[in-house]
Amino acid sequence: MPKVWPTSPLEEKVLNIIKKHLELELGKYEGIIDGGIHLKYKPSNIRLKVIELNGTNYNAATSLSQIRFFFVNINYQDEDQELVEEVTEYIYNIMDQSVIRNLFFESNRKEVGKISPYLWLGNNYFEITNNTIYKNKKHNDRSE
């Protein structure tokens, strides 16, 4: 039986913010997210055109205004390598350096790889910081 990591209420809130944003952006294109967008663990019977969101809250913030060093993986999976590469790039473009609900997203890495003989996975890894905290840090960095 696979290990299931607990999800904090704040982590679930952040992942739902991301999910709604991706549904709005990717829902415009027919057939891209037919498998849906799932928090943490997608159902094992869904393999194609699916997004899985995973997050880790290392500093155990208790509210959106305290978020700093929160990391999220946005994984896209399908059997079409070109589609996975395009969607992974699109997710990178709409999320990196963006502010969504006062959360600033900064890409740490983006990669696409084959995970089985017939399946490809695109992974976008972002660090999330409350935008107010981020702006204050950048301002302090410039003034020192």
Side-chain angles (χ1 to χ4, degrees):
M1 176 178 229
K3 174 97 171 146
V4 177
W5 301 102
T7 305
S8 73
L10 180 62
E11 185 179 3
E12 190 170 332
K13 186 174 188 173
V14 170
L15 294 177
N16 274 311
I17 289 169
I18 297 167
K19 178 180 178 180
K20 287 177 186 170
H21 183 71
L22 291 173
E23 285 171 341
L24 283 173
E25 289 292 330
L26 294 171
K28 302 173 195 174
Y29 306 101
E30 189 175 323
I32 298 296
I33 52 174
D34 290 348
I37 300 176
H38 304 274
L39 308 185
K40 284 259 185 164
Y41 305 101
K42 66 173 186 54
S44 59
N45 63 331
I46 298 176
R47 295 175 14 109
L48 304 179
K49 296 178 179 25
V50 62
I51 291 178
E52 183 177 56
L53 303 174
N54 294 294
T56 51
N57 184 4
Y58 289 115
N59 71 341
T62 56
S63 72
L64 290 177
S65 64
Q66 297 174 337
I67 288 181
R68 185 180 193 144
F69 305 122
F70 188 103
F71 296 94
V72 67
N73 272 319
I74 302 174
N75 297 321
Y76 183 75
Q77 180 177 302
D78 192 60
E79 62 189 3
D80 181 342
Q81 178 184 1
E82 261 185 53
L83 179 63
V84 171
E85 288 172 350
E86 287 176 18
V87 172
T88 301
E89 183 68 24
Y90 185 77
I91 291 170
Y92 171 83
N93 289 333
I94 64 172
M95 299 296 287
D96 187 39
Q97 303 293 309
S98 69
V99 177
I100 303 164
R101 296 266 315 266
N102 207 36
L103 298 174
F104 180 76
F105 289 76
E106 191 167 23
S107 177
N108 278 14
R109 75 175 175 268
K110 170 185 65 158
E111 54 199 9
V112 173
K114 198 170 193 177
I115 58 172
S116 80
Y118 305 105
L119 209 53
W120 290 84
L121 179 79
N123 178 11
N124 278 291
Y125 188 68
F126 294 96
E127 180 179 335
I128 304 171
T129 304
N130 178 278
N131 194 43
T132 305
I133 294 171
Y134 179 79
K135 287 192 298 188
N136 288 339
K137 180 189 178 306
K138 288 296 180 190
H139 175 73
N140 292 339
D141 288 348
R142 282 194 303 266
S143 60
E144 290 177 358

